[in-house]
Amino acid sequence: MRPARALIDLGALQDNYLLARRLGGGKAVAVIKADAYGHGAVHCARALEGIADAFGVACIEEAIELREAGISAPILLLEGFLDADELPLIDRYAFWTAVASPWQRDALARYTPAAPLHVWLKLDSGMHRLGLSPDDFARALQQLSSDPKIGSVVAMSHLARADELDSDFSETQRQVFEAATRDFTGPTSFNNSPALLGWPGIRSDWVRPGLMLYGANPFPLDAPIPHVLRPVMQLESKVIAVRDLPAGEAVGYGARFTAPVPMRIGVVAMGYADGYPQLAPNGTPVVVDGVATRLIGRVSMDMLTVDLTDLPQAGVGSAVVFWGHQPLPTPSQIAQACGTSGYALLCGIKRVRRDYIAAPAAAATRDPAAAHALG
Ligand SMILES: *Cc1c(COP(=O)(O)O)cnc(C)c1O
């Protein structure tokens, strides 16, 4: 069997969720879109069910997958329906839907649901991607709040630059959101992971952590965060071949690395088809048999090569770890070394087997705030 695998620690996922909710001070949507950022949405949802107040996904296909797997908690479509045909499904599966564009507002107005719908009305507070303009938002908020077809309304918006701790744009967006919701007495939702971790002054009733659930830091690494996140994924594989490389010989495609002195090279079953970054530079950290060493040569589709010169005891079958929790390199450190983000790194993981470490029993009791979520 190919040894490449992602080991997923569901207890760490629970702890990160509980931290996010504590920082938010209210309720928290666990954002598990994109197959839980590469961690497996159904497994992650099962680990968080009974703890999480709701789940957030990008589209109805992701939402249906969770319901069909037996997840009964509320599931929010973060971008709303992408076609008006989805409204009967939203109704039938009791999904919560964002309404983030004028066409969605109009389609909703024409639709008669069997049971009142739960709507998250989105304001464009400055990101200029989704969301209604402040005028449209104010009208729609009033209209939905008095519409008997609508069971409840949450006012939401999204931050564009919360990962930039030296930018004042988040504060500008906060002011726009606050002005637009001043007369609204229902719940609000604003904070993503960087807002929860970096902007304690920005508050909302419902927070929407994504990346931080998986233990990755949304900020550049020179801005360390004061909270302990537990990386959830450990990516690992094994050495499948070893060779000696004479001085002056190069390894792999494009001869991107030439041995300056005689070297010992390990070939590892991990490549860009698994989601390991193709553009990882020479020197990217890897850990072999518990010892830190480095990637050398270009990453290929199914394999990559590492320096074993100083690890004479390592050989075929040696364990290789690419990221995990400290002292291993973290996903955020590898992402930074490869010129990508923790988001893209984790979401990109595919093909590798996923093995899950079950959470310890009664995680909810580790956090007093969780008790009420369990009723
Ligand atoms: C993806 C997403 C989130 C989660 O963002 P993170 O930065 O991963 O915490 C929150 N809200 C919305 C609307 C999203 O699309």
Side-chain angles (χ1 to χ4, degrees):
M1 197 186 348
R2 193 158 181 269
R5 69 166 183 170
L7 197 57
I8 311 283
D9 181 347
L10 297 170
L13 178 75
Q14 291 181 340
D15 283 353
N16 294 334
Y17 174 82
L18 294 172
L19 171 66
R21 188 167 58 192
R22 204 156 52 233
L23 292 174
K27 294 188 173 189
V29 178
V31 178
I32 56 171
K33 61 189 176 186
D35 209 15
Y37 293 46
H39 294 68
V42 169
H43 280 90
C44 290
R46 286 188 180 138
L48 290 173
E49 217 182 17
I51 302 175
D53 302 306
F55 294 107
V57 296
C59 59
I60 199 148
E61 292 84 349
E62 292 181 347
I64 290 173
E65 183 194 13
L66 295 174
R67 271 287 183 272
E68 295 288 328
I71 301 299
S72 58
I75 301 173
L76 169 65
L77 304 173
L78 290 162
E79 296 156 37
F81 44 94
L82 305 185
D83 190 307
D85 302 358
E86 295 170 14
L87 281 162
L89 290 170
I90 289 173
D91 202 2
R92 181 164 107 215
Y93 285 102
F95 296 143
W96 296 356
T97 183
V99 168
S101 296
W103 77 264
Q104 288 176 329
R105 173 202 60 201
D106 297 344
L108 185 68
R110 286 191 300 270
Y111 180 71
T112 306
L117 294 177
H118 298 280
V119 171
W120 288 46
L121 188 70
K122 189 166 187 174
L123 169 74
D124 175 9
S125 57
M127 185 167 184
H128 303 325
R129 190 179 60 176
L130 293 180
L132 300 179
S133 68
D135 284 350
D136 280 353
F137 178 83
R139 268 194 299 276
L141 199 54
Q142 216 172 21
Q143 189 197 331
L144 290 172
S145 299
S146 59
D147 185 341
K149 295 193 311 196
I150 304 302
S152 67
V153 184
V154 175
M156 77 183 289
S157 193
H158 196 48
L159 288 155
R161 299 178 63 181
D163 57 333
E164 296 170 54
L165 294 171
D166 54 357
S167 161
D168 52 17
F169 196 64
S170 296
E171 175 56 21
T172 304
Q173 284 193 271
R174 187 192 68 77
Q175 288 170 13
V176 173
F177 187 54
E178 194 180 273
T181 52
R182 192 163 294 139
D183 300 327
F184 176 64
T185 53
T188 57
S189 177
F190 204 22
N191 309 47
N192 53 8
S193 299
L196 278 165
L197 293 165
W199 297 88
I202 295 181
R203 312 291 294 182
S204 61
D205 300 309
W206 277 93
V207 297
R208 305 188 306 268
L211 187 72
M212 70 176 287
L213 299 181
Y214 310 101
N217 179 353
F219 304 107
L221 295 181
D222 53 11
I225 48 174
H227 303 289
V228 180
L229 293 173
R230 298 180 58 199
V232 173
M233 183 192 292
Q234 176 164 312
L235 185 70
E236 52 183 50
S237 189
K238 287 188 172 161
V239 173
I240 60 168
V242 174
R243 74 174 50 249
D244 293 314
L245 197 62
E249 290 294 313
V251 59
Y253 287 118
R256 201 189 60 185
F257 179 85
T258 301
V261 292
M263 289 179 68
R264 199 160 164 268
I265 302 292
V267 181
V268 183
M270 174 63 60
Y272 62 78
D274 303 302
Y276 190 89
Q278 186 184 17
L279 300 180
N282 292 327
T284 302
V286 296
V287 175
V288 178
D289 285 342
V291 180
T293 180
R294 56 180 180 145
L295 177 92
I296 50 173
R298 191 187 286 173
V299 174
S300 9
M301 189 180 290
D302 311 314
M303 288 172 274
L304 52 75
T305 40
V306 298
D307 182 0
L308 298 183
T309 311
D310 294 333
L311 285 85
Q313 71 290 14
V316 172
S318 284
V320 182
V321 184
F322 301 96
W323 60 72
H325 52 81
Q326 279 168 332
L328 291 168
T330 63
S332 313
Q333 285 167 333
I334 298 300
Q336 187 154 311
C338 297
T340 184
S341 66
Y343 294 88
L345 187 79
L346 294 172
C347 290
I349 292 304
K350 54 186 188 291
R351 188 169 74 178
V352 303
R353 182 171 90 246
R354 290 196 193 112
D355 288 337
Y356 289 89
I357 305 172
T365 59
R366 292 201 295 274
D367 182 291
H372 83 259
L374 290 172

